[in-house]
Amino acid sequence: MKRWVKVTLASVAALAVAGYAAKGYIFLHLPGWIAPHVEDNHPVTWQQGPAAAALPADQRPPNIVLIVADDLGYNDISFNGGGVAGGLVKTPNIDALGHQGASFANGYAGNATCAPSRAALMTGRYATRFGYEFTPADVHPPAWFPSSIIRTDAAFSRTIASFPTTWEHKTIFDEDAARLPPVHDKGMPASEITIADMLRGRGYHTMHLGKWHLGDTKGMRPEQHGFDESLGFMIGGQKYLLDDSPDVVNSVQDFDPIDKFLWANLPFSVQYNGSKPFRPDRYMTDYLTTQAQATIVANRNRPFFLYLAYNAPHTPLQAAKADYDALPQITDHRTRVYGAMIRALDRGVGRVMATLKAQGLDKNTLVIFTSDNGGAHYVGLPDINKPYRGWKATFFEGGVKVPFFMRWPAQIKAGTAIQGPVSHFDIFATAGGSAGATLPHDRPIDGVNLLPFVQGKAVGTPHNTLFWRSGRYKVVRDGDWKLQALDMPHVKLLYDLKADPTERRDVAAAHPDVVARLTQLLAAHDRDSVKPAWPSLIRSPIAIDRPLGTKPKAGETYIYWSN
């Protein structure tokens, strides 16, 4: 019998020293030492640009606004023919970016989980080139906590691995990795050059809002990676409101161990340029939107780069009550909460675009919209990545194919559609190209400037070959062929994406020559990569064709994901 316990600091230490989790227990609440004290809300005073512009907006380098959603499924937006609850939740403002600019039918994430994907996006490089292969599993205690004795990442990973399941495939905890000396500084190295570094070198004022998830120590924070200002959260996420707020509606997925951990431990807070955490004054998605509008107004007279990284619709599922109440036609509670979160996200995009227009910046601003990876299986909703198979934390199309739009009326014709594969790391080179920046010459840059393709000045496809890797699970797309080299089960799956874009038919047996050639490409990519900067502690099974919380099926396709 599994039991949930509320764990005090003393009992956490006792359990951790004895192996972190006594058999039959799962951490539910780790108060105090994970989240520091959160101050009451206080206003943010953004640095003000010039009172008057030296040049009209259409004669300056373009402003660049990069909007990244968190775990947004391919089918969560109505542009792709879907929308939550069979289209009951429309996304007109997100859709407009694709209709009024360029849409990329084969837009790919840099990875299938949050942090490595963002590392690729920020640097224009495969994150495996600098060791950012796994999403950090740490919780961050204060300096006085005995982290040399108590491995919080191991404690958390053991918690996930110990969660009860009836599935024959169990999560595997790596005891050997847990015995290695801990890596305390997990994040993007200070030696990496980010979009913000590059644009600040061109005179841009650079701002980050929302999720970072690329490290919070030793030069890894956004303020130390080229951002003049940062308002957000360094860890993977935050709550959207306090649990018991009268303005929130919650949905708890009790079949998901990560969800249980998030509800118990995530704070509701932000910090400005490393300040003490303080509480937003409204629903998080709306708060980030309001602050984004304020940054635009403050910088209306100078070129700026705004990285607006929403945490929506990542779990925990929390909707603003007003948005939930606006969707009475959705009868399933979880779907309704999720749909309300998408509604708030879309509204935020609309408000940002309206502010650009009101400030006369609309035509000469490059707006890029995407998601860090596909929708997550642990939400428990079946169709969020439809028609594609797979989820976040898999390299099936559902895990890495994401919404991908660019809008710049002064340079991109409305309704432009690009079919060739593009990747998150192309955003780096595209932003640099639009700003007239020179790309770094001292390291490989994997991304390409997409502007010549969307403007019809370049022929062919931006990429013929793309790679993904997480531990021993490796994937390559080369032309229309896609090879998935799985670790568990140890098998190679080959798909012809031209004939079978949703990866339904494995044709490896019929094309051994293609399998051999693509296997060689994977080996060459490994030689261009480095070892992970920190080890994976768990490998988790994920069913490709059903969400978490549903019954296993005999003979179903599954993968093991290292993290």
Side-chain angles (χ1 to χ4, degrees):
M1 174 71 70
K2 296 286 182 182
R3 290 188 289 161
W4 294 97
V5 295
K6 183 172 182 177
V7 182
T8 65
L9 177 58
S11 61
V12 168
L15 284 173
V17 171
Y20 306 114
K23 214 168 186 180
Y25 290 81
I26 297 176
F27 295 156
L28 178 60
H29 190 54
L30 310 178
W33 56 271
I34 291 181
H37 172 70
V38 177
E39 298 178 349
D40 291 337
N41 176 259
H42 53 75
V44 176
T45 302
W46 294 96
Q47 298 173 26
Q48 297 294 305
L55 292 171
D58 60 354
Q59 296 179 27
R60 301 197 300 262
N63 306 303
I64 301 173
V65 177
L66 171 58
I67 305 175
V68 179
D70 197 352
D71 292 1
L72 184 70
Y74 185 88
N75 195 45
D76 283 341
I77 61 172
S78 41
F79 183 95
N80 290 333
V84 178
L88 292 180
V89 180
K90 302 294 185 183
T91 53
N93 296 298
I94 295 173
D95 297 351
L97 299 177
H99 292 307
Q100 296 171 8
S103 62
F104 298 85
N106 286 284
Y108 285 104
N111 197 279
T113 54
C114 307
S117 182
R118 293 166 191 270
L121 185 153
M122 275 287 109
T123 63
R125 289 152 50 84
Y126 286 109
T128 51
R129 287 192 183 276
F130 48 92
Y132 208 127
E133 190 152 346
F134 307 122
T135 293
D138 299 76
V139 290
H140 298 287
W144 55 263
F145 191 78
S147 56
S148 60
I149 300 174
I150 300 174
R151 289 280 302 275
T152 59
D153 57 346
F156 172 72
S157 298
R158 282 182 184 270
T159 297
I160 302 304
S162 68
F163 193 78
T165 176
T166 60
W167 200 16
E168 61 180 310
H169 307 297
K170 311 297 183 184
T171 297
I172 301 169
F173 179 77
D174 191 331
E175 296 284 355
D176 291 336
R179 294 190 192 100
L180 295 173
V183 178
H184 296 296
D185 301 318
K186 297 179 182 177
M188 192 164 64
S191 57
E192 287 303 308
I193 298 171
T194 68
I195 300 175
D197 287 319
M198 177 177 59
L199 293 179
R200 189 157 68 172
R202 290 289 296 166
Y204 278 68
H205 189 74
T206 56
M207 299 159 291
H208 157 256
L209 276 167
K211 183 169 178 174
W212 180 241
H213 213 180
L214 294 175
D216 61 356
T217 58
K218 289 190 176 180
M220 295 177 175
R221 294 177 57 88
E223 314 93 81
Q224 298 154 332
H225 264 303
F227 286 95
D228 295 303
E229 300 180 88
S230 170
L231 175 67
F233 29 93
M234 301 302 100
I235 60 176
Q238 295 280 306
K239 288 182 178 174
Y240 297 82
L241 274 173
L242 296 176
D243 298 9
D244 57 355
S245 168
D247 298 321
V248 74
V249 179
N250 302 317
S251 175
V252 178
Q253 284 62 255
D254 58 4
F255 48 77
D256 174 26
I258 297 176
D259 200 56
K260 290 207 175 259
F261 181 85
L262 296 180
W263 281 106
N265 298 294
L266 277 189
F268 172 54
S269 66
V270 292
Q271 55 180 192
Y272 174 75
N273 278 11
S275 71
K276 292 182 179 180
F278 61 93
R279 189 160 289 133
D281 62 356
R282 66 197 71 186
Y283 183 71
M284 182 66 80
T285 303
D286 291 331
Y287 176 78
L288 294 176
T289 298
T290 298
Q291 295 299 329
Q293 292 175 288
T295 67
I296 292 169
V297 174
N299 293 279
R300 63 191 180 279
N301 292 322
R302 62 180 172 186
F304 64 83
F305 169 53
L306 171 60
Y307 173 35
L308 175 53
Y310 288 109
N311 54 321
H314 196 295
T315 53
L317 298 187
Q318 292 184 287
K321 188 175 184 301
D323 288 318
Y324 184 86
D325 291 344
L327 300 173
Q329 66 274 35
I330 301 177
T331 56
D332 177 72
H333 174 70
R334 188 190 316 142
T335 304
R336 186 171 173 182
V337 170
Y338 188 81
M341 295 173 74
I342 300 294
R343 188 174 190 266
L345 175 66
D346 184 73
R347 178 175 63 248
V349 171
R351 287 172 54 194
V352 168
M353 298 306 298
T355 302
L356 288 171
K357 186 172 183 178
Q359 297 300 318
L361 305 175
D362 173 65
K363 292 184 178 180
N364 198 32
T365 296
L366 170 61
V367 178
I368 304 171
F369 179 89
T370 189
S371 175
D372 59 349
N373 43 250
H377 77 300
Y378 51 73
V379 174
L381 299 177
D383 296 328
I384 54 179
N385 296 319
K386 188 178 180 180
Y388 299 107
R389 301 176 75 194
W391 315 90
K392 172 185 180 178
T394 80
F395 292 138
F396 278 76
E397 296 287 275
V400 290
K401 182 169 282 190
V402 292
F404 205 123
F405 304 131
M406 291 183 179
R407 180 189 185 276
W408 184 8
Q411 295 290 333
I412 300 175
K413 184 179 178 181
T416 299
I418 302 296
Q419 297 298 318
V422 301
S423 175
H424 274 164
F425 49 55
D426 295 325
I427 293 172
F428 181 97
T430 303
S434 68
T438 300
L439 299 184
H441 295 300
D442 63 341
R443 64 199 65 202
I445 298 297
D446 298 298
V448 300
N449 183 358
L450 298 178
L451 289 175
F453 293 93
V454 301
Q455 294 172 335
K457 299 176 181 178
V459 297
T461 61
H463 296 279
N464 191 62
T465 309
L466 291 172
F467 297 93
W468 297 269
R469 187 180 86 179
S470 184
R472 286 173 282 187
Y473 177 25
K474 305 169 186 180
V475 173
V476 56
R477 172 172 176 162
D478 186 64
D480 290 322
W481 292 111
K482 183 176 177 184
L483 179 70
Q484 300 216 36
L486 278 60
D487 171 37
M488 295 178 64
H490 191 69
V491 65
K492 292 178 180 177
L493 307 175
L494 180 67
Y495 299 101
D496 178 357
L497 295 181
K498 183 175 183 180
D500 179 25
T502 59
E503 298 171 292
R504 304 286 171 181
R505 299 181 298 277
D506 170 29
V507 294
H511 298 279
D513 56 329
V514 177
V515 172
R517 181 175 64 81
L518 298 188
T519 299
Q520 291 178 348
L521 290 179
L522 288 173
H525 180 67
D526 278 348
R527 291 192 291 271
D528 289 335
S529 301
V530 300
K531 293 175 62 176
W534 55 87
S536 164
L537 288 172
I538 56 174
R539 284 183 287 172
S540 300
I542 299 177
I544 296 303
D545 295 312
R546 62 177 177 87
L548 195 63
T550 55
K551 292 182 179 180
K553 300 176 182 178
E556 64 184 337
T557 303
Y558 67 95
I559 63 99
Y560 265 80
W561 181 261
S562 297
N563 203 59

